[in-house]
Amino acid sequence: MRIRHLRPLRICFALVFFVLTLFLFLDFRDSGFRALAGEVLFLQFVPSLLEFMDTAAIGAAGFLLVLFLTLMFGRVYCSFVCPLGIFQDMVSRLARKRMSRPGLPGKKQNRSRFSYSRPHYFLWYAILILTVLLFLAGSGLVLNLLDPFSSFGRIASALFRPLVLGANNLVALVLEQWENHFLYRVNLPVFVPVSAGIALVTLLLVGWMSARHGRLYCNTLCPVGALLGLFSKVSMFRIRIAPDACGSCLRCQGACKAGCIDLEKQTVDVSRCVACFNCLAACPGQGITLRNHWRRQVRHNLPAPGRRGFLLGLTAAGMGMVSSRVDAGPDNPVNIVNPAESADSADPVGPVIQSRPTTIPETRTGPISPPGSVSVARFSSLCTACHLCVSVCPSHILVPAFLDYGPSGMLQPKMAFRSGHCNYDCTACLEVCPSGAILHLSREKKQQAQVGVARFIKENCVVYTDNTNCGACSEHCPTKAVAMVHYLTLPDRDLLIPEVTPDICVGCGGCEYACPTKPYKAIYVDGNPVHKMAEKPVEKAVEKRVDTNGEFPF
């Protein structure tokens, strides 16, 4: 393959990765694509690293492959795989095309080309060191905010996805006028100002920097870029200027979006080079080459076994790890009566009108982390706040938290039941988490994972305050952990009031979502710091009564 063909190859790979990744966040019709989420997200560096640190599973060793490829070819991750980097290339290309349109002043014509820029090593490496130190101290705040995949995920989830859903609803509304129901209207996600604000700031910052200076964000603020830049300094294949063949036409320098080609000194800063290969395609001769620098070092400086031993050792370290991923197989299947098939799709029972606002607030001891996260502490330490689980949740109950997990867990998702409840049979969030913060559980195990327990406040219940029957919480409970028991006998009717059986409650939030009292709920879910396994509901036989006096007694 000629080196000029590396650029179109890079563009093809980048478009495939970008479209597949973006589709994971925007697919609201559940087209079955989530089954490929593991393969699509395997090479995302930070999520893979965190999952590998937790499970040491080979299936989570994508970051090792990224490091290996970086040692071979430089920062190919930044141009081939990273969705935020590919997004910057798109913005940069559109901005350069606009500024180079015919008829614009010549001053803007010159801005259509890149130029060499001085490195900002102090800021770049200071951010990397700060990120590592805070992570080792137990805080992933800086890592979550600056991880390129998570930053792109928040932009896609908080900004792009609502636009797509809104456009879908508008088109569906128009099509309904012609009795066409190919599209259907869907509920918009819950708006969280903090999450949307941070996503918007990130989008504006990244967009401005890429439109004006190409990959400046990657080479000044991105900790992943800084780390891979250190590895690329000792990479095997590096771009170099051939002084004898270079005619100083400036085409390579004008095509370098990283601003790392200095024609005056005839050097290429490989730590900032993002391996886009634009310079190889722009050079009209042989002035820019891709050389094997290990061959020269092996021949004159280092013995051959040293480098080979390093690569073999790195590969063996990744391949020799024993997988400890939680088994998600269908062992110990649960055989229970599942009334969730109708409860999950039902609306809260009503109308039940309370005579006065409730006065006793819910007392929550902590946030509710998603099923499969094992515990709040584990979830907070592994989640990168990419919001992929937020995007795929069909009930919109996973919402970005503010300070519920503490400052280091800002923007990490929590379960909130004001707009819905966790569908008893749903495993969407369990299938897509790229960092292992949410483990993949079988449907049976998910249905027994107790993320929290329902708590009942009798003084807020309309049965107590208004002497009226309700029962919405019991009707929406998939395990029947909330049952209606006798409370009071009135002249014209018996009043029933909720009673919670904590052992079989899974904390799905069906009762809280259905409870009609405001502003405080009469029943709510209090999160478990460490998830438990709920007991199986007792299967009750249904007594069938046959009227033998009827004409058809069967």
Side-chain angles (χ1 to χ4, degrees):
M1 176 186 294
R2 299 180 59 184
I3 60 175
R4 292 179 181 271
H5 296 159
L6 291 176
R7 180 177 179 271
L9 179 66
R10 184 265 302 174
I11 294 176
C12 292
F13 269 88
L15 287 177
V16 169
F17 272 102
F18 182 81
V19 170
L20 293 179
T21 303
L22 182 63
F23 192 69
L24 280 176
F25 287 93
L26 303 184
D27 179 22
F28 61 92
R29 303 190 70 168
D30 191 12
S31 58
F33 183 73
R34 295 171 194 164
L36 301 176
E39 289 74 12
V40 174
L41 304 176
F42 176 71
L43 292 178
Q44 296 303 332
F45 188 83
V46 172
S48 173
L49 173 63
L50 294 179
E51 184 177 11
F52 187 84
M53 292 174 60
D54 181 63
T55 64
I58 295 177
F63 82 100
L64 289 177
L65 181 56
V66 171
L67 292 179
F68 174 77
L69 292 174
T70 305
L71 287 173
M72 295 296 294
F73 305 104
R75 291 169 56 184
V76 291
Y77 168 83
C78 300
S79 287
F80 283 72
V81 180
C82 177
L84 189 65
I86 301 170
F87 176 73
Q88 291 178 69
D89 292 344
M90 294 178 177
V91 173
S92 178
R93 184 173 180 83
L94 291 175
R96 300 285 158 176
K97 277 190 173 184
R98 179 181 179 277
M99 289 188 291
S100 60
R101 287 182 303 176
L104 291 179
K107 185 176 181 180
K108 288 191 175 183
Q109 292 277 351
N110 295 333
R111 290 175 59 187
S112 65
R113 298 173 61 85
F114 297 101
S115 60
Y116 174 75
S117 60
R118 297 179 59 184
H120 303 276
Y121 290 137
F122 179 80
L123 174 62
W124 203 21
Y125 294 129
I127 291 178
L128 174 62
I129 294 173
L130 177 64
T131 302
V132 173
L133 291 179
L134 288 179
F135 179 77
L136 294 177
S139 174
L141 178 60
V142 177
L143 181 64
N144 294 350
L145 290 177
L146 297 181
D147 168 42
F149 173 75
S150 300
S151 296
F152 177 80
R154 287 190 292 271
I155 293 173
S157 177
L159 302 180
F160 295 166
R161 184 177 174 84
L163 294 177
V164 171
L165 297 184
N168 170 84
N169 290 351
L170 180 60
V171 175
L173 182 62
V174 174
L175 292 179
E176 287 175 4
Q177 308 305 316
W178 285 275
E179 299 297 329
N180 187 326
H181 301 283
F182 174 74
L183 296 179
Y184 53 86
R185 282 180 280 179
V186 295
N187 294 328
L188 295 178
V190 178
F191 177 73
V192 180
V194 174
S195 175
I198 292 179
L200 181 59
V201 170
T202 304
L203 176 63
L204 295 177
L205 177 64
V206 171
W208 178 82
M209 296 180 76
S210 57
R212 296 291 298 270
H213 306 287
R215 286 297 192 98
L216 182 61
Y217 177 88
C218 301
N219 290 331
T220 54
L221 300 178
C222 180
V224 177
L227 178 63
L228 297 182
L230 295 175
F231 279 83
S232 65
K233 286 186 176 182
V234 294
S235 59
M236 175 184 288
F237 295 99
R238 307 178 212 169
I239 294 176
R240 279 291 181 261
I241 298 176
D244 298 336
C246 180
S248 299
C249 65
L250 300 180
R251 292 185 182 181
C252 60
Q253 184 172 284
C256 179
K257 54 194 172 189
C260 63
I261 299 179
D262 187 358
L263 284 180
E264 292 185 4
K265 299 180 180 179
Q266 291 193 333
T267 59
V268 178
D269 187 350
V270 293
S271 64
R272 291 190 292 151
C273 176
V274 294
C276 66
F277 305 129
N278 286 354
C279 56
L280 298 178
C283 182
Q286 302 295 325
I288 293 287
T289 61
L290 193 64
R291 294 181 180 177
N292 184 346
H293 284 256
W294 285 10
R295 180 182 302 171
R296 182 178 58 186
Q297 293 178 2
V298 168
R299 182 180 301 169
H300 298 288
N301 300 324
L302 297 175
R307 292 289 185 182
R308 293 179 180 176
F310 176 76
L311 288 179
L312 291 175
L314 182 65
T315 305
M319 300 300 293
M321 295 294 181
V322 179
S323 174
S324 61
R325 184 181 295 272
V326 174
D327 181 18
D331 52 336
N332 298 324
V334 181
N335 297 317
I336 61 174
V337 175
N338 181 10
E341 295 179 356
S342 59
D344 284 343
S345 59
D347 293 327
V349 174
V352 177
I353 302 176
Q354 61 189 101
S355 60
R356 57 184 179 275
T358 51
T359 58
I360 302 178
E362 305 100 342
T363 306
R364 304 181 193 269
T365 58
I368 308 174
S369 59
S373 57
V374 181
S375 67
V376 171
R378 179 188 175 278
F379 176 74
S380 182
S381 66
L382 294 176
C383 177
T384 64
C386 72
H387 293 180
L388 183 54
C389 59
V390 176
S391 296
V392 302
C393 179
S395 302
H396 305 300
I397 63 165
L398 288 178
V399 298
F402 182 39
L403 296 176
D404 301 68
Y405 296 103
S408 63
M410 185 185 299
L411 301 181
Q412 292 177 342
K414 66 173 183 178
M415 300 179 74
F417 305 117
R418 292 288 178 168
S419 61
H421 63 285
C422 183
N423 293 343
Y424 192 63
D425 295 327
C426 179
T427 58
C429 62
L430 307 174
E431 299 170 357
V432 299
C433 181
S435 68
I438 303 176
L439 297 176
H440 184 79
L441 303 180
S442 65
R443 179 173 298 179
E444 291 78 11
K445 287 188 176 181
K446 183 264 182 183
Q447 290 174 344
Q448 283 190 270
Q450 188 185 74
V451 300
V453 177
R455 309 293 185 192
F456 177 57
I457 305 176
K458 184 178 71 173
E459 290 76 10
N460 287 350
C461 184
V462 293
V463 179
Y464 174 83
T465 59
D466 297 344
N467 286 338
T468 181
N469 277 317
C470 177
C473 53
S474 177
E475 292 187 20
H476 281 72
C477 180
T479 64
K480 294 307 173 188
V482 181
M484 303 303 294
V485 298
H486 183 265
Y487 168 63
L488 184 64
T489 300
L490 297 179
D492 56 341
R493 65 188 181 279
D494 289 336
L495 292 181
L496 303 179
I497 203 165
E499 182 181 70
V500 179
T501 305
D503 293 339
I504 61 175
C505 176
V506 295
C508 69
C511 55
E512 179 177 340
Y513 171 58
C515 182
T517 61
K518 296 178 181 180
Y520 305 115
K521 297 286 187 176
I523 191 167
Y524 67 97
V525 177
D526 188 21
N528 286 337
V530 178
H531 294 183
K532 303 176 182 179
M533 292 297 292
E535 296 181 2
K536 298 179 182 179
V538 178
E539 183 176 355
K540 297 181 179 179
V542 179
E543 182 181 354
K544 296 183 179 181
R545 296 181 180 181
V546 179
D547 184 7
T548 58
N549 297 324
E551 184 176 358
F552 299 102
F554 50 82

